[in-house]
Amino acid sequence: CKELLEITKGGITVQLNNPKDFAFQIFNLLSNPEKLASYSESAVLQSKSFSINKCLENHKLLYSEAR
């Protein structure tokens, strides 16, 4: 998961079952408007790959390759 976040530049990781680390990471994110804006922009760009049209294109490609 950390590797995916590094590739997409879209988030933070926190220690499992560690609410203090979670709070710390959220505080850091909210204290850094540039980073927050960067993550937001990345999320919008990544979300476009999940559109219904993109899904349809991927299914068409998959079925055409199966023939």
Side-chain angles (χ1 to χ4, degrees), residues 2-32:
K2 183 177 181 180
E3 292 81 11
L4 181 59
L5 291 176
E6 289 172 357
I7 292 168
T8 62
K9 297 177 177 53
I12 58 173
T13 58
V14 296
Q15 294 176 3
L16 184 63
N17 296 322
N18 188 334
K20 287 183 180 182
D21 184 48
F22 181 76
F24 177 76
Q25 295 297 340
I26 294 298
F27 177 80
N28 282 341
L29 184 59
L30 294 175
S31 298
N32 188 335

mmCIF file of all heavy atoms in Angstrom, residues 2-32:
data_model
loop_
_atom_site.group_PDB
_atom_site.id
_atom_site.type_symbol
_atom_site.label_atom_id
_atom_site.label_comp_id
_atom_site.label_asym_id
_atom_site.label_seq_id
_atom_site.Cartn_x
_atom_site.Cartn_y
_atom_site.Cartn_z
ATOM 1 N N LYS A 2 1.939 1.230 0.767
ATOM 2 C CA LYS A 2 2.845 2.389 0.806
ATOM 3 C C LYS A 2 3.453 2.636 -0.564
ATOM 4 O O LYS A 2 3.574 3.782 -0.994
ATOM 5 C CB LYS A 2 3.940 2.153 1.845
ATOM 6 C CG LYS A 2 4.873 3.331 2.004
ATOM 7 C CD LYS A 2 5.891 3.091 3.084
ATOM 8 C CE LYS A 2 6.796 4.292 3.241
ATOM 9 N NZ LYS A 2 7.793 4.112 4.280
ATOM 10 N N GLU A 3 3.790 1.566 -1.277
ATOM 11 C CA GLU A 3 4.377 1.710 -2.595
ATOM 12 C C GLU A 3 3.384 2.359 -3.558
ATOM 13 O O GLU A 3 3.753 3.199 -4.373
ATOM 14 C CB GLU A 3 4.828 0.347 -3.149
ATOM 15 C CG GLU A 3 5.993 -0.254 -2.412
ATOM 16 C CD GLU A 3 5.606 -0.958 -1.118
ATOM 17 O OE1 GLU A 3 4.396 -1.184 -0.866
ATOM 18 O OE2 GLU A 3 6.518 -1.285 -0.337
ATOM 19 N N LEU A 4 2.118 1.980 -3.468
ATOM 20 C CA LEU A 4 1.093 2.565 -4.324
ATOM 21 C C LEU A 4 0.936 4.052 -4.043
ATOM 22 O O LEU A 4 0.807 4.857 -4.956
ATOM 23 C CB LEU A 4 -0.246 1.848 -4.127
ATOM 24 C CG LEU A 4 -1.403 2.340 -4.977
ATOM 25 C CD1 LEU A 4 -1.078 2.212 -6.455
ATOM 26 C CD2 LEU A 4 -2.666 1.579 -4.638
ATOM 27 N N LEU A 5 0.967 4.423 -2.784
ATOM 28 C CA LEU A 5 0.866 5.835 -2.430
ATOM 29 C C LEU A 5 2.059 6.622 -2.942
ATOM 30 O O LEU A 5 1.921 7.773 -3.351
ATOM 31 C CB LEU A 5 0.736 6.011 -0.919
ATOM 32 C CG LEU A 5 -0.575 5.530 -0.315
ATOM 33 C CD1 LEU A 5 -0.538 5.664 1.200
ATOM 34 C CD2 LEU A 5 -1.748 6.286 -0.891
ATOM 35 N N GLU A 6 3.227 5.998 -2.948
ATOM 36 C CA GLU A 6 4.410 6.671 -3.471
ATOM 37 C C GLU A 6 4.298 6.867 -4.988
ATOM 38 O O GLU A 6 4.677 7.916 -5.504
ATOM 39 C CB GLU A 6 5.668 5.880 -3.127
ATOM 40 C CG GLU A 6 6.018 5.929 -1.655
ATOM 41 C CD GLU A 6 7.154 4.996 -1.267
ATOM 42 O OE1 GLU A 6 7.657 4.258 -2.137
ATOM 43 O OE2 GLU A 6 7.521 5.005 -0.080
ATOM 44 N N ILE A 7 3.740 5.888 -5.666
ATOM 45 C CA ILE A 7 3.586 5.980 -7.120
ATOM 46 C C ILE A 7 2.551 7.040 -7.489
ATOM 47 O O ILE A 7 2.786 7.872 -8.362
ATOM 48 C CB ILE A 7 3.175 4.613 -7.710
ATOM 49 C CG1 ILE A 7 4.330 3.617 -7.584
ATOM 50 C CG2 ILE A 7 2.744 4.756 -9.174
ATOM 51 C CD1 ILE A 7 3.947 2.191 -7.874
ATOM 52 N N THR A 8 1.418 7.017 -6.801
ATOM 53 C CA THR A 8 0.333 7.940 -7.147
ATOM 54 C C THR A 8 0.471 9.301 -6.483
ATOM 55 O O THR A 8 -0.229 10.237 -6.846
ATOM 56 C CB THR A 8 -1.031 7.350 -6.740
ATOM 57 O OG1 THR A 8 -1.068 7.164 -5.317
ATOM 58 C CG2 THR A 8 -1.299 6.041 -7.445
ATOM 59 N N LYS A 9 1.364 9.396 -5.507
ATOM 60 C CA LYS A 9 1.547 10.629 -4.741
ATOM 61 C C LYS A 9 0.213 11.109 -4.176
ATOM 62 O O LYS A 9 -0.126 12.282 -4.254
ATOM 63 C CB LYS A 9 2.185 11.708 -5.605
ATOM 64 C CG LYS A 9 3.575 11.341 -6.070
ATOM 65 C CD LYS A 9 4.138 12.399 -6.989
ATOM 66 C CE LYS A 9 5.549 12.125 -7.429
ATOM 67 N NZ LYS A 9 5.848 10.868 -8.013
ATOM 68 N N GLY A 10 -0.525 10.154 -3.583
ATOM 69 C CA GLY A 10 -1.881 10.477 -3.197
ATOM 70 C C GLY A 10 -2.282 10.209 -1.775
ATOM 71 O O GLY A 10 -3.465 10.045 -1.515
ATOM 72 N N GLY A 11 -1.369 10.150 -0.841
ATOM 73 C CA GLY A 11 -1.838 9.935 0.515
ATOM 74 C C GLY A 11 -0.733 9.681 1.508
ATOM 75 O O GLY A 11 0.441 9.855 1.221
ATOM 76 N N ILE A 12 -1.173 9.287 2.683
ATOM 77 C CA ILE A 12 -0.261 9.025 3.789
ATOM 78 C C ILE A 12 -0.488 7.609 4.299
ATOM 79 O O ILE A 12 -1.530 7.011 4.042
ATOM 80 C CB ILE A 12 -0.484 10.034 4.944
ATOM 81 C CG1 ILE A 12 -1.928 9.967 5.436
ATOM 82 C CG2 ILE A 12 -0.120 11.434 4.515
ATOM 83 C CD1 ILE A 12 -2.218 10.779 6.675
ATOM 84 N N THR A 13 0.476 7.096 5.008
ATOM 85 C CA THR A 13 0.307 5.822 5.692
ATOM 86 C C THR A 13 0.404 6.067 7.191
ATOM 87 O O THR A 13 1.066 7.010 7.637
ATOM 88 C CB THR A 13 1.380 4.798 5.271
ATOM 89 O OG1 THR A 13 2.668 5.329 5.557
ATOM 90 C CG2 THR A 13 1.274 4.464 3.800
ATOM 91 N N VAL A 14 -0.282 5.233 7.934
ATOM 92 C CA VAL A 14 -0.240 5.323 9.392
ATOM 93 C C VAL A 14 0.000 3.928 9.956
ATOM 94 O O VAL A 14 -0.285 2.923 9.312
ATOM 95 C CB VAL A 14 -1.538 5.911 9.987
ATOM 96 C CG1 VAL A 14 -1.738 7.338 9.535
ATOM 97 C CG2 VAL A 14 -2.738 5.084 9.629
ATOM 98 N N GLN A 15 0.522 3.885 11.162
ATOM 99 C CA GLN A 15 0.760 2.614 11.819
ATOM 100 C C GLN A 15 -0.577 1.978 12.186
ATOM 101 O O GLN A 15 -1.487 2.656 12.682
ATOM 102 C CB GLN A 15 1.609 2.800 13.067
ATOM 103 C CG GLN A 15 3.008 3.265 12.777
ATOM 104 C CD GLN A 15 3.801 3.537 14.048
ATOM 105 O OE1 GLN A 15 3.322 3.332 15.154
ATOM 106 N NE2 GLN A 15 5.011 4.004 13.874
ATOM 107 N N LEU A 16 -0.699 0.686 11.943
ATOM 108 C CA LEU A 16 -1.913 -0.061 12.232
ATOM 109 C C LEU A 16 -2.249 -0.007 13.715
ATOM 110 O O LEU A 16 -1.363 -0.146 14.570
ATOM 111 C CB LEU A 16 -1.733 -1.519 11.785
ATOM 112 C CG LEU A 16 -2.926 -2.432 11.916
ATOM 113 C CD1 LEU A 16 -4.073 -1.945 11.030
ATOM 114 C CD2 LEU A 16 -2.526 -3.850 11.532
ATOM 115 N N ASN A 17 -3.518 0.237 14.014
ATOM 116 C CA ASN A 17 -4.019 0.272 15.398
ATOM 117 C C ASN A 17 -3.286 1.292 16.262
ATOM 118 O O ASN A 17 -3.047 1.055 17.436
ATOM 119 C CB ASN A 17 -3.939 -1.112 16.040
ATOM 120 C CG ASN A 17 -4.824 -2.122 15.348
ATOM 121 O OD1 ASN A 17 -5.922 -1.802 14.921
ATOM 122 N ND2 ASN A 17 -4.329 -3.337 15.214
ATOM 123 N N ASN A 18 -2.931 2.419 15.647
ATOM 124 C CA ASN A 18 -2.216 3.451 16.386
ATOM 125 C C ASN A 18 -2.922 4.796 16.184
ATOM 126 O O ASN A 18 -2.566 5.574 15.299
ATOM 127 C CB ASN A 18 -0.763 3.526 15.913
ATOM 128 C CG ASN A 18 0.082 4.434 16.771
ATOM 129 O OD1 ASN A 18 -0.416 5.357 17.400
ATOM 130 N ND2 ASN A 18 1.382 4.177 16.773
ATOM 131 N N PRO A 19 -3.927 5.072 17.010
ATOM 132 C CA PRO A 19 -4.676 6.321 16.838
ATOM 133 C C PRO A 19 -3.822 7.573 17.014
ATOM 134 O O PRO A 19 -4.098 8.599 16.390
ATOM 135 C CB PRO A 19 -5.772 6.252 17.898
ATOM 136 C CG PRO A 19 -5.553 5.034 18.695
ATOM 137 C CD PRO A 19 -4.445 4.252 18.077
ATOM 138 N N LYS A 20 -2.778 7.493 17.816
ATOM 139 C CA LYS A 20 -1.904 8.669 17.985
ATOM 140 C C LYS A 20 -1.167 8.970 16.690
ATOM 141 O O LYS A 20 -1.019 10.132 16.311
ATOM 142 C CB LYS A 20 -0.925 8.455 19.136
ATOM 143 C CG LYS A 20 -1.585 8.538 20.494
ATOM 144 C CD LYS A 20 -0.575 8.402 21.609
ATOM 145 C CE LYS A 20 -1.287 8.499 22.953
ATOM 146 N NZ LYS A 20 -0.365 8.431 24.076
ATOM 147 N N ASP A 21 -0.687 7.936 16.021
ATOM 148 C CA ASP A 21 -0.011 8.139 14.747
ATOM 149 C C ASP A 21 -0.994 8.679 13.716
ATOM 150 O O ASP A 21 -0.666 9.580 12.947
ATOM 151 C CB ASP A 21 0.626 6.843 14.247
ATOM 152 C CG ASP A 21 1.421 7.048 12.967
ATOM 153 O OD1 ASP A 21 2.225 7.998 12.907
ATOM 154 O OD2 ASP A 21 1.219 6.266 12.014
ATOM 155 N N PHE A 22 -2.214 8.147 13.706
ATOM 156 C CA PHE A 22 -3.243 8.626 12.788
ATOM 157 C C PHE A 22 -3.494 10.120 13.010
ATOM 158 O O PHE A 22 -3.499 10.910 12.065
ATOM 159 C CB PHE A 22 -4.532 7.823 12.977
ATOM 160 C CG PHE A 22 -5.638 8.233 12.067
ATOM 161 C CD1 PHE A 22 -5.635 7.863 10.738
ATOM 162 C CD2 PHE A 22 -6.692 8.998 12.549
ATOM 163 C CE1 PHE A 22 -6.668 8.252 9.895
ATOM 164 C CE2 PHE A 22 -7.726 9.392 11.713
ATOM 165 C CZ PHE A 22 -7.710 9.015 10.381
ATOM 166 N N ALA A 23 -3.693 10.505 14.269
ATOM 167 C CA ALA A 23 -3.941 11.906 14.599
ATOM 168 C C ALA A 23 -2.752 12.775 14.197
ATOM 169 O O ALA A 23 -2.926 13.874 13.645
ATOM 170 C CB ALA A 23 -4.232 12.049 16.094
ATOM 171 N N PHE A 24 -1.544 12.283 14.448
ATOM 172 C CA PHE A 24 -0.341 13.022 14.098
ATOM 173 C C PHE A 24 -0.251 13.249 12.590
ATOM 174 O O PHE A 24 0.032 14.360 12.131
ATOM 175 C CB PHE A 24 0.893 12.269 14.606
ATOM 176 C CG PHE A 24 2.195 12.913 14.235
ATOM 177 C CD1 PHE A 24 2.643 14.041 14.900
ATOM 178 C CD2 PHE A 24 2.986 12.385 13.221
ATOM 179 C CE1 PHE A 24 3.840 14.641 14.559
ATOM 180 C CE2 PHE A 24 4.180 12.974 12.870
ATOM 181 C CZ PHE A 24 4.616 14.106 13.544
ATOM 182 N N GLN A 25 -0.511 12.196 11.826
ATOM 183 C CA GLN A 25 -0.424 12.304 10.363
ATOM 184 C C GLN A 25 -1.495 13.244 9.814
ATOM 185 O O GLN A 25 -1.226 14.034 8.907
ATOM 186 C CB GLN A 25 -0.540 10.926 9.712
ATOM 187 C CG GLN A 25 0.591 9.986 10.039
ATOM 188 C CD GLN A 25 1.939 10.453 9.543
ATOM 189 O OE1 GLN A 25 2.049 11.287 8.646
ATOM 190 N NE2 GLN A 25 3.002 9.918 10.124
ATOM 191 N N ILE A 26 -2.696 13.182 10.351
ATOM 192 C CA ILE A 26 -3.765 14.080 9.915
ATOM 193 C C ILE A 26 -3.420 15.524 10.266
ATOM 194 O O ILE A 26 -3.600 16.443 9.462
ATOM 195 C CB ILE A 26 -5.118 13.669 10.526
ATOM 196 C CG1 ILE A 26 -5.566 12.300 9.993
ATOM 197 C CG2 ILE A 26 -6.196 14.727 10.265
ATOM 198 C CD1 ILE A 26 -5.800 12.253 8.499
ATOM 199 N N PHE A 27 -2.922 15.731 11.479
ATOM 200 C CA PHE A 27 -2.509 17.078 11.882
ATOM 201 C C PHE A 27 -1.447 17.623 10.933
ATOM 202 O O PHE A 27 -1.519 18.776 10.492
ATOM 203 C CB PHE A 27 -1.989 17.065 13.324
ATOM 204 C CG PHE A 27 -1.485 18.399 13.777
ATOM 205 C CD1 PHE A 27 -2.367 19.382 14.198
ATOM 206 C CD2 PHE A 27 -0.123 18.680 13.784
ATOM 207 C CE1 PHE A 27 -1.903 20.633 14.604
ATOM 208 C CE2 PHE A 27 0.348 19.919 14.188
ATOM 209 C CZ PHE A 27 -0.545 20.895 14.595
ATOM 210 N N ASN A 28 -0.459 16.794 10.612
ATOM 211 C CA ASN A 28 0.600 17.225 9.689
ATOM 212 C C ASN A 28 0.041 17.572 8.315
ATOM 213 O O ASN A 28 0.456 18.552 7.695
ATOM 214 C CB ASN A 28 1.675 16.152 9.556
ATOM 215 C CG ASN A 28 2.623 16.133 10.726
ATOM 216 O OD1 ASN A 28 2.732 17.101 11.466
ATOM 217 N ND2 ASN A 28 3.300 15.014 10.904
ATOM 218 N N LEU A 29 -0.890 16.771 7.858
ATOM 219 C CA LEU A 29 -1.488 17.026 6.552
ATOM 220 C C LEU A 29 -2.278 18.337 6.557
ATOM 221 O O LEU A 29 -2.143 19.157 5.651
ATOM 222 C CB LEU A 29 -2.395 15.865 6.155
ATOM 223 C CG LEU A 29 -3.030 15.929 4.782
ATOM 224 C CD1 LEU A 29 -1.970 16.015 3.697
ATOM 225 C CD2 LEU A 29 -3.915 14.716 4.565
ATOM 226 N N LEU A 30 -3.073 18.541 7.590
ATOM 227 C CA LEU A 30 -3.866 19.766 7.676
ATOM 228 C C LEU A 30 -3.005 21.002 7.915
ATOM 229 O O LEU A 30 -3.419 22.115 7.597
ATOM 230 C CB LEU A 30 -4.924 19.631 8.772
ATOM 231 C CG LEU A 30 -6.005 18.586 8.507
ATOM 232 C CD1 LEU A 30 -6.923 18.465 9.701
ATOM 233 C CD2 LEU A 30 -6.782 18.906 7.241
ATOM 234 N N SER A 31 -1.816 20.799 8.445
ATOM 235 C CA SER A 31 -0.887 21.910 8.690
ATOM 236 C C SER A 31 -0.067 22.263 7.458
ATOM 237 O O SER A 31 0.715 23.218 7.489
ATOM 238 C CB SER A 31 0.066 21.554 9.837
ATOM 239 O OG SER A 31 -0.647 21.338 11.023
ATOM 240 N N ASN A 32 -0.210 21.484 6.404
ATOM 241 C CA ASN A 32 0.568 21.700 5.193
ATOM 242 C C ASN A 32 -0.383 21.841 3.998
ATOM 243 O O ASN A 32 -0.653 20.867 3.292
ATOM 244 C CB ASN A 32 1.528 20.523 4.990
ATOM 245 C CG ASN A 32 2.507 20.753 3.875
ATOM 246 O OD1 ASN A 32 2.247 21.533 2.958
ATOM 247 N ND2 ASN A 32 3.623 20.054 3.924
#
